[in-house]
Amino acid sequence: MSVGYFKMLEDRLAKLLLVCFLVVQISCAGMYKQELSFDPAEPLRVAVLPFYQLTPSGELLTMRDDVYLIDHIPGVSEKVEESPARFVQGLVETELRQTGFDLMPTVAVESALLHGGFRTKQGINLKKVLEADANTLCRVIGCDAVFYGRISKWERAYYVVQSVSTVGLEVRLVRAADGAAIFSAASEDSDSRGLTKGPTGYTSLVIEPIRGLDSGIITELASKVVKETIKPLETRRSDKAALVAPPVIFASSHDAVSGSLATDGRLVVLAFATPGASAAFSIGSYIRDVPMFETYPGHYIGEFYPVEGDRFEMEPVQISVRDGFGRTAQQTATKLKVSLRPQGTSGAMLSKRGDFEKGKR
Amino acid sequence: MKNQVKSLRLAAMILLFFSACGPRAKLQPEFDGVQVQTLALLPISVPEETRSERRRFLRSAFESELAARGYRLLDESLVLTVCRDSACANRSQLAAAYPISAFVDVKISGIERNNFVLGFYNAIEGSLNASTPTGKVIAEVEFTESKRGGLVFDSGQVIQAIKEQYENYGDWNFNSLASGFAEEIVAQLPSISSAAARTLGSAPVIQNVSVKPRRGMVDEVCVSGTPGLRALLFLNKRMTNLREVSSGKYCGAYRIPPKYAPEKMLIVELRSAFGAAVREVFDVDSIRAGATGLRSRVTESM
């Protein structure tokens, strides 16, 4: 066998190794599993409970003030003065604010738990919180659903030519009314530095695995894991929204031709807009988001009936439509502003109009 | 000429070096975790070309970070009724109506995204100012959060560099940068423990919900409960406000078309300016027929 033959074999082996290497890279994606069984646009009032970690033996991991799991490796890692549970909880809360949920303030949740019988000398009795059912917790906190989070993995491993950071997260959203888990997810992902990321030389083969222990890498990985985990709950999915045109209001009007409303009268507002949207109108800042009903695709109608004490002067009537991705369009219904004064102060003219639906109760 | 170029390069490097440092913060003694607990976060000022989704994310990041530090934030919808921009000339109206300790003004002076194929450099530069209702500035924090990657900056790891370059084209990179920016800036402010948190008035309570038919198939929905709050009715996927017609009694009048029968189960909510709330679900038909009003079942300790 000639030298040329061995050279050819060497070339083929190198190519085969490269292909295998790329296949391994592609296949080493994170694991994300989610189950969603409700409409994320439902206006649930959600309380995020303190996230937690368990020790290998299944005990709750408690933090002392001087011990941080996102720690400081001198010369490599920037000190992050938070536990992984607290850090990830903050990321989750930021993502949940992109959803349609009414998220309760953190301090309100913690305060309610402390005052509601879930206190120890050190603070919140997390064990008792986790043992209580959602209904009990929401009676104390004042919520419709509770959001649980557990850090199932938070590891940095060093193998000389490779370092691997792994973050695992399990979350559950449980509705108080029936105790049903309406959303659950289990995620795990890793990021590595060293041999598998294509070192360009012997120096980088040694240095990059050490740099891979930087807390910045694992915190960034945590951010990615959280984003992917919470994605099904987002109502403003930009990836899907890009495929659909945003809502538009083509025309709008109201029937207060003189600009005055009677205290025993009504204001009818019409809009012609993108079908299937959620529409509402406001009168200045005094009357907010009176819902409009889609009586025919793209045709929206709403009515304002004054109650005792209502009063406003020269306010614009503003219509807004919103699609399923949270995108909105707004339009002022004509340039004519409206006023509502107590009876006897002005002549009110309202245009007569029949009922907008045929059926009667 | 060569010397000038060298000086410019040196100056640029020095600037880059300092921009990579931590936040620069100046806090007055008045800004402690006892006196300052309730904040009004004003509309965030961002460069004009910034997309609305990014503005929204920035705001969410700051809200989360401030809430995580223990601050109670004035409801955004209340802020927007008075303040349309970060300058908010009429902020004294908010201070007069609600117990606000400080106004927080976040200004993003620059969002840089530099993608040069073999590498990228992204940065968010901005500041946070907190001022009392009397206008005294009690906190100033400035910071630049930056991230770089790609082959030029990550030359030791080819695959990682390519991966980072690919990820830089999405929104995730901006979100990560915005989160880091908000985290670093807010971390300069004092933290408030749950034990030190002050109670803001009594917890909202709903005592009764009534539905009174008016002429023309219109229903007047009224909620009785804690006075001085905002009352909201969930109807057709919208939250509309009920008005306080007398102390503790909030009403609104609506006509619900028959084809929206599922809407017969409605939700009312009483909410304080700082997020304390109580909700009640009720059946319009049964209450209209004369069923007794519901008693409050949920309170919130604030």
Side-chain angles (χ1 to χ4, degrees):
Chain A
M1 293 192 183
S2 63
V3 170
Y5 178 75
F6 284 115
K7 184 95 172 68
M8 184 192 68
L9 269 182
E10 197 183 319
D11 283 343
R12 281 189 184 171
L13 187 62
K15 281 175 189 165
L16 181 64
L17 275 174
L18 179 63
V19 168
C20 290
F21 172 71
L22 287 171
V23 167
V24 165
Q25 283 295 307
I26 290 163
S27 62
C28 281
M31 187 269 300
Y32 295 92
K33 191 174 147 195
Q34 295 115 337
E35 273 181 45
L36 182 67
S37 52
F38 81 110
D39 179 5
E42 190 179 333
L44 285 177
R45 188 160 171 80
V46 173
V48 179
L49 299 177
F51 280 27
Y52 64 100
Q53 265 177 284
L54 299 177
T55 63
S57 57
E59 296 291 317
L60 268 175
L61 193 65
T62 52
M63 297 291 116
R64 296 198 313 267
D65 285 340
D66 58 335
V67 172
Y68 308 104
L69 286 192
I70 304 180
D71 56 10
H72 177 218
I73 302 173
V76 173
S77 174
E78 190 184 319
K79 189 172 184 179
V80 180
E81 296 187 358
E82 268 182 315
S83 66
R86 193 71 178 167
F87 178 75
V88 171
Q89 182 178 342
L91 293 174
V92 166
E93 286 175 355
T94 301
E95 290 299 325
L96 286 177
R97 285 177 202 280
Q98 314 302 314
T99 66
F101 295 143
D102 177 14
L103 203 65
M104 290 187 59
T106 313
V107 68
V109 175
E110 291 179 357
S111 179
L113 289 173
L114 285 171
H115 292 102
F118 294 90
R119 182 198 283 266
T120 64
K121 280 184 191 164
Q122 288 78 32
I124 293 173
N125 186 340
L126 199 47
K127 189 160 178 261
K128 194 173 173 186
V129 168
L130 296 173
E131 285 169 358
D133 59 78
N135 188 266
T136 305
L137 290 168
C138 277
R139 271 192 278 115
V140 167
I141 299 170
C143 56
D144 299 323
V146 284
F147 196 97
Y148 297 88
R150 179 173 90 89
I151 310 300
S152 54
K153 212 174 245 190
W154 187 277
E155 287 172 4
R156 275 174 289 184
Y158 178 69
Y159 305 108
V160 183
V161 293
Q162 179 88 337
S163 63
V164 181
S165 301
T166 306
V167 172
L169 174 64
E170 289 173 8
V171 297
R172 246 183 336 137
L173 178 64
V174 180
R175 189 163 43 205
D178 53 8
I182 54 182
F183 173 70
S184 61
S187 310
E188 190 174 304
D189 207 345
S190 301
D191 197 0
S192 61
R193 293 289 188 277
L195 190 63
T196 55
K197 285 293 167 69
T200 51
Y202 292 116
T203 312
S204 56
L205 185 59
V206 171
I207 291 176
E208 292 301 331
I210 297 172
R211 286 179 65 192
L213 297 173
D214 186 351
S215 57
I217 290 174
I218 198 167
T219 52
E220 203 162 290
L221 175 63
S223 181
K224 273 188 208 172
V225 168
V226 164
K227 183 145 183 80
E228 284 303 315
T229 305
I230 304 297
K231 212 169 189 175
L233 294 176
E234 282 176 29
T235 47
R236 303 185 181 98
R237 290 283 299 271
S238 55
D239 54 337
K240 293 188 176 175
L243 305 173
V244 178
V248 173
I249 302 175
F250 303 109
S252 60
S253 185
H254 64 73
D255 71 342
V257 294
S258 68
S260 287
L261 302 180
T263 52
D264 60 349
R266 71 174 176 182
L267 176 72
V268 179
V269 181
L270 302 171
F272 178 39
T274 307
S278 164
F281 71 90
S282 301
I283 304 175
S285 57
Y286 182 71
I287 306 292
R288 306 293 307 168
D289 288 330
V290 179
M292 299 174 77
F293 296 89
E294 193 174 9
T295 54
Y296 188 77
H299 295 247
Y300 300 87
I301 185 163
E303 296 172 308
F304 165 68
Y305 292 88
V307 294
E308 182 190 345
D310 278 343
R311 183 191 177 99
F312 44 84
E313 193 72 35
M314 296 298 286
E315 296 285 1
V317 177
Q318 184 103 18
I319 293 159
S320 72
V321 295
R322 185 177 68 213
D323 68 3
F325 303 107
R327 298 176 299 185
T328 58
Q330 290 183 323
Q331 190 176 92
T332 303
T334 80
K335 290 181 186 172
L336 189 58
K337 296 186 180 177
V338 295
S339 303
L340 173 67
R341 302 183 190 105
Q343 265 179 342
T345 56
S346 74
M349 261 181 64
L350 284 180
S351 59
K352 279 193 177 174
R353 193 181 176 281
D355 289 333
F356 62 84
E357 82 283 345
K358 299 277 180 188
K360 305 283 183 191
R361 278 202 287 261
Chain B
M1 181 66 179
K2 273 189 184 169
N3 284 338
Q4 272 182 342
V5 170
K6 264 191 188 167
S7 310
L8 278 170
R9 277 195 190 141
L10 185 62
M13 279 174 59
I14 290 169
L15 277 171
L16 193 64
F17 173 74
F18 279 113
S19 73
C21 295
R24 295 180 291 280
K26 266 195 287 188
L27 264 64
Q28 302 299 327
E30 298 97 311
F31 201 138
D32 61 24
V34 176
Q35 287 187 60
V36 179
Q37 294 196 5
T38 52
L39 304 176
L41 179 60
L42 300 176
I44 294 181
S45 167
V46 294
E48 235 177 80
E49 63 274 13
T50 309
R51 283 174 18 221
S52 60
E53 293 86 0
R54 291 187 173 178
R55 289 170 192 252
R56 183 72 242 160
F57 189 88
L58 268 166
R59 190 180 175 91
S60 302
F62 273 94
E63 284 175 351
S64 290
E65 292 297 333
L66 287 167
R69 301 288 286 178
Y71 294 99
R72 257 76 67 82
L73 299 180
L74 186 67
D75 200 293
E76 188 188 358
S77 58
L78 293 176
V79 175
L80 291 176
T81 55
V82 173
C83 304
R84 288 289 164 191
D85 53 39
S86 60
C88 193
N90 297 326
R91 62 179 75 181
S92 54
Q93 290 180 23
L94 288 175
Y98 309 106
I100 297 168
S101 313
F103 289 95
V104 173
D105 178 14
V106 176
K107 281 194 175 65
I108 308 297
S109 48
I111 298 176
E112 272 189 59
R113 298 205 72 181
N114 300 300
N115 195 337
F116 31 92
V117 184
L118 294 179
F120 63 87
Y121 176 79
N122 301 328
I124 293 181
E125 186 185 349
S127 62
L128 177 150
N129 283 352
S131 55
T132 64
T134 55
K136 182 177 178 190
V137 176
I138 54 175
E140 293 173 273
V141 185
E142 289 177 1
F143 182 56
T144 300
E145 172 81 357
S146 63
K147 183 175 156 66
R148 54 180 191 250
L151 274 172
V152 171
F153 296 109
D154 221 345
S155 55
Q157 298 268 256
V158 173
I159 305 288
Q160 180 63 25
I162 294 170
K163 188 178 166 209
E164 283 174 359
Q165 193 71 35
Y166 171 73
E167 284 173 350
N168 186 49
Y169 287 102
D171 261 344
W172 177 81
N173 238 358
F174 173 83
N175 291 355
S176 171
L177 204 63
S179 295
F181 177 76
E183 189 193 342
E184 289 286 340
I185 283 204
V186 174
Q188 304 305 309
L189 305 179
S191 180
I192 303 169
S193 65
S194 310
R198 286 200 308 265
T199 303
L200 291 175
S202 54
V205 169
I206 292 177
Q207 285 152 346
N208 191 43
V209 178
S210 66
V211 178
K212 189 172 85 177
R214 283 171 40 163
R215 62 187 171 89
M217 294 188 295
V218 174
D219 290 315
E220 185 170 293
V221 177
C222 291
V223 177
S224 298
T226 309
L229 303 182
R230 284 184 304 145
L232 300 162
L233 173 71
F234 287 87
L235 180 60
N236 200 22
K237 296 179 191 170
R238 290 286 186 150
M239 282 170 38
T240 185
N241 62 314
L242 305 176
R243 281 80 69 200
E244 193 167 12
V245 300
S246 60
S247 178
K249 187 178 180 189
Y250 310 82
C251 295
Y254 309 93
R255 177 155 61 160
I256 304 168
K259 77 183 232 187
Y260 290 92
E263 295 283 358
K264 296 303 182 189
M265 293 299 291
L266 298 179
I267 303 172
V268 289
E269 179 180 283
L270 285 186
R271 179 189 280 263
S272 79
F274 292 94
V278 60
R279 281 187 182 177
E280 203 61 75
V281 181
F282 65 99
D283 185 311
V284 173
D285 284 338
S286 60
I287 291 188
R288 192 191 296 118
T292 54
L294 299 168
R295 301 211 60 87
S296 168
R297 63 171 172 84
V298 175
T299 59
E300 186 171 305
S301 304
M302 287 282 288

